[in-house]
Amino acid sequence: MPSSLPDSSAEEESNYFNNYPPPKALKNHEALTRAFIERHVESNRRVVLVTSGGTTVPLENQTVRFVDNFSAGTRGATSAEYFLEAGYAVIFLHRQFSLLPYSRHYSHSTNCFLDFMDERPSPSDHGPIVVRSEYQDEMREVLRKYRYAKQNNLLLLLPFTTVTEYLFELRALANLMRPLGANALFYLAAAVSDFFIPRDRMAEHKIQSSEVPVIDGDVYTGLHEDEPHSGSKKLVVDLDPVPKFLHRLVYGWAPEKSMIVSFKLETDPSILVYKARTSLQRYSHHLVIGNLLSTRKWEVVFVTPDPPGERWIRVPKSKRSKSISGVEDQVGLAESKPLVDSGDEVTQLQLGDTRAASGGVGGAAQARKGIEIESIIIPELVKMHSEMIEKANRPRS
């Protein structure tokens, strides 16, 4: 890796961040993160920064309208749970109101959360609220894992909304993680917007959907209008590319010898591996996890700089969860060699331990829904990270 950054890269960073005020919550988030990291540096625990959810691009300074990404935060929230099971402390940088570790089992359910609850009969008509008997075991298991993570200060939740807030947070958190050295892992699962409107070109007020007549210098509100205005206008949005700060993370912000993992989501199978390889070559990080929109719950590809360079991870066909948006026929289409998806033999990486085989977090109930692919992804990442740490700690000859 280059030891220094080109001047243009540093200038690009300066121009972008100087154009925006820091998020209001940034100082508080920095204080929480500093204390969190100090605790785990002292105990020599590994810490992973998981980014999750979509990023908004405001169209106005006083934001009413914005452009958004496709992401509910499922990959990030699920992965965070498996990192916690693997012994990591997790900084969970997430889109506000997206899915969270543990609560995702209920907040993203087709049932209303209240369907899991019941009222125990009581003479006073004020009986205690209880979990319905058929959900007791599942909810107890999730609750215990959540409480263990919180009581042992293993999970730090930090929200963001806009792409600019996300980038401010990522830069600050990466710098704070420097004392971790090789024990730091970056798992960049957030869907970062590729385009934005620079602040100096952004409308101050809500963009109107029709022409607004002006009377006596004041903006007309529509009251007492003799003839309602029927005209409308097109909205043409001129977006600039968001600067690619992944190289800044690799070469400048992140701790030396830390592991950096990014994601590449595509809809066209023919370009997925190519785009993942291009990203890896451009930014010189350690792993790109590629996935297709239509098969993301069942397969991903690990693209690394070392041979074999392309490794596919798939949930066996008999253990796949149902997916409304998934397309079974597209499994294997992005692979460079033909795949016959006939059954369990298509899994290139073996299911790790009994947690993965039973569906991981959520136990028996999750097993009925199918195996979560994150239960295979995370153990593989842990192995890779362990090898990097061992290499980093090896005495130089």
Side-chain angles (χ1 to χ4, degrees):
M1 268 184 210
S3 57
S4 61
L5 288 160
D7 292 340
S8 59
S9 180
E11 183 180 355
E12 186 177 42
E13 176 185 352
S14 177
N15 289 340
Y16 182 86
F17 286 104
N18 287 339
N19 196 36
Y20 295 92
K24 293 179 181 178
L26 185 61
K27 286 187 177 180
N28 180 49
H29 288 181
E30 288 176 325
L32 291 170
T33 303
R34 187 176 292 108
F36 186 83
I37 289 171
E38 287 175 355
R39 174 189 178 98
H40 297 299
V41 167
E42 186 176 342
S43 62
N44 196 34
R45 185 185 295 274
R46 300 180 191 182
V47 177
V48 57
L49 172 61
V50 176
T51 69
S52 183
T55 54
T56 68
V57 176
L59 300 185
E60 306 113 342
N61 276 317
Q62 298 187 53
T63 307
V64 175
R65 297 183 175 91
F66 55 84
V67 180
D68 205 353
N69 291 72
F70 163 82
S71 179
T74 306
R75 179 82 79 206
T78 307
S79 297
E81 293 181 22
Y82 288 104
F83 275 119
L84 287 162
E85 285 197 13
Y88 283 68
V90 176
I91 302 170
F92 191 67
L93 181 62
H94 64 284
R95 165 73 175 275
Q96 189 174 34
F97 306 128
S98 65
L99 294 182
L100 297 176
Y102 302 114
S103 65
R104 72 179 176 94
H105 295 273
Y106 308 102
S107 60
H108 206 46
S109 170
T110 53
N111 297 328
C112 170
F113 181 74
L114 295 177
D115 290 336
F116 294 92
M117 315 301 289
D118 216 338
E119 183 178 5
R120 185 172 293 162
S122 170
S124 65
D125 198 31
H126 290 284
I129 303 299
V130 297
V131 176
R132 292 174 61 178
S133 59
E134 60 265 40
Y135 302 116
Q136 287 276 345
D137 292 341
E138 178 183 357
M139 191 170 287
R140 183 185 298 109
E141 184 176 356
V142 174
L143 177 61
R144 285 176 177 173
K145 291 177 185 293
Y146 170 75
R147 291 183 66 182
Y148 179 84
K150 293 298 288 184
Q151 289 171 357
N152 290 279
N153 197 26
L154 295 173
L155 178 61
L156 178 62
L157 304 176
L158 303 175
F160 66 84
T161 302
T162 70
V163 64
T164 300
E165 290 172 353
Y166 169 81
L167 292 172
F168 265 101
E169 295 274 359
L170 180 62
R171 182 176 68 163
L173 299 182
N175 279 285
L176 288 170
M177 291 174 71
R178 286 184 177 177
L180 290 160
N183 276 349
L185 171 60
F186 293 81
Y187 185 82
L188 308 177
V192 183
S193 301
D194 290 318
F195 302 97
F196 80 117
I197 300 178
R199 195 176 181 214
D200 57 2
R201 296 214 317 264
M202 202 180 297
E204 178 62 29
H205 298 288
K206 175 189 172 186
I207 299 171
Q208 299 299 312
S209 59
S210 60
E211 298 294 339
V212 180
V214 176
I215 297 178
D216 296 330
D218 294 323
V219 177
Y220 186 55
T221 62
L223 297 175
H224 312 299
E225 185 175 12
D226 294 333
E227 294 184 12
H229 185 73
S230 59
S232 61
K233 58 182 180 181
K234 294 180 180 179
L235 175 62
V236 179
V237 181
D238 185 13
L239 300 170
D240 285 3
V242 172
K244 297 296 185 182
F245 286 125
L246 183 53
H247 57 93
R248 289 294 288 169
L249 176 68
V250 174
Y251 299 140
W253 304 345
E256 187 178 358
K257 299 179 181 179
S258 59
M259 182 177 181
I260 299 175
V261 180
S262 72
F263 280 78
K264 178 64 67 174
L265 176 73
E266 295 293 342
T267 59
D268 183 351
S270 67
I271 65 171
L272 175 64
V273 174
Y274 168 78
K275 293 294 292 287
R277 284 177 179 159
T278 301
S279 179
L280 193 70
Q281 293 165 1
R282 181 174 296 161
Y283 304 118
S284 302
H285 51 308
H286 305 99
L287 170 66
V288 177
I289 301 179
N291 52 163
L292 285 176
L293 181 65
S294 57
T295 62
R296 68 193 185 281
K297 295 182 184 297
W298 306 319
E299 65 172 0
V300 300
V301 59
F302 278 20
V303 177
T304 59
D306 302 319
E310 177 186 335
R311 282 197 301 163
W312 284 87
I313 296 178
R314 291 190 178 91
V315 175
K317 191 171 185 178
S318 62
K319 299 183 183 298
R320 292 176 193 161
S321 60
K322 301 289 185 182
S323 175
I324 296 175
S325 59
V327 183
E328 283 271 2
D329 291 346
Q330 291 195 9
V331 171
L333 286 186
E335 190 169 354
S336 55
K337 60 182 179 181
L339 171 73
V340 179
D341 190 7
S342 59
D344 290 2
E345 71 275 11
V346 301
T347 303
Q348 270 76 5
L349 294 174
Q350 298 299 314
L351 297 180
D353 53 23
T354 55
R355 288 174 300 174
S358 65
V361 180
Q366 185 61 49
R368 290 194 299 270
K369 301 174 187 176
I371 290 176
E372 293 175 318
I373 194 169
E374 292 81 8
S375 70
I376 316 174
I377 293 173
I378 302 309
E380 287 300 315
L381 283 183
V382 172
K383 289 178 188 176
M384 294 176 66
H385 193 202
S386 296
E387 290 171 0
M388 287 187 61
I389 293 172
E390 183 181 354
K391 183 178 179 180
N393 294 333
R394 195 177 299 156
R396 293 184 179 180
S397 55

